Amino acid sequence: METIYTFNGEDITMLMCVVIREVIREIAKRENLNFEEAFYDFYRSDTYKTLRETENALWAEPAGYIADMYFAEKQKKQVVCA
């Protein structure tokens, strides 16, 4: 597997893939979406962009915590647009 994500010089690509998958599963479960729909929504979020910045170590948090961040972001955007 190609190295895509690193932390302190270590390859964490596989771990990031697992974390991303678990976050998407949590989003899909909470919003009653299929995996692909949840993936698309998460992929476009600022939370996903933050997660990709591995030096902040957000990837080390539980998937539920990251999903909570996603939902807080989504709610904030809905309030601003309303």
Side-chain angles (χ1 to χ4, degrees):
M1 176 179 260
E2 174 186 350
T3 298
I4 300 170
Y5 300 104
T6 60
F7 181 74
N8 290 339
E10 298 292 323
D11 181 10
I12 61 165
T13 302
M14 183 61 74
L15 176 60
M16 282 290 288
C17 291
V18 170
V19 169
I20 291 167
R21 181 193 68 204
E22 292 306 310
V23 172
I24 293 168
R25 283 183 177 172
E26 184 67 23
I27 292 168
K29 177 180 157 188
R30 291 189 198 181
E31 294 199 315
N32 197 28
L33 300 172
N34 66 42
F35 187 88
E36 291 78 19
E37 292 168 324
F39 171 81
Y40 182 72
D41 289 348
F42 184 59
Y43 180 78
R44 296 181 313 152
S45 72
D46 291 336
T47 304
Y48 175 70
K49 290 174 190 165
T50 301
L51 178 61
R52 291 184 59 206
E53 297 168 5
T54 59
E55 294 306 315
N56 64 31
L58 179 58
W59 52 268
E61 296 292 339
Y65 176 82
I66 300 168
D68 288 344
M69 286 182 61
Y70 164 82
F71 287 114
E73 171 193 343
K74 186 175 177 179
Q75 182 176 13
K76 184 177 180 182
K77 286 182 179 180
Q78 288 174 345
V79 169
V80 170
C81 292

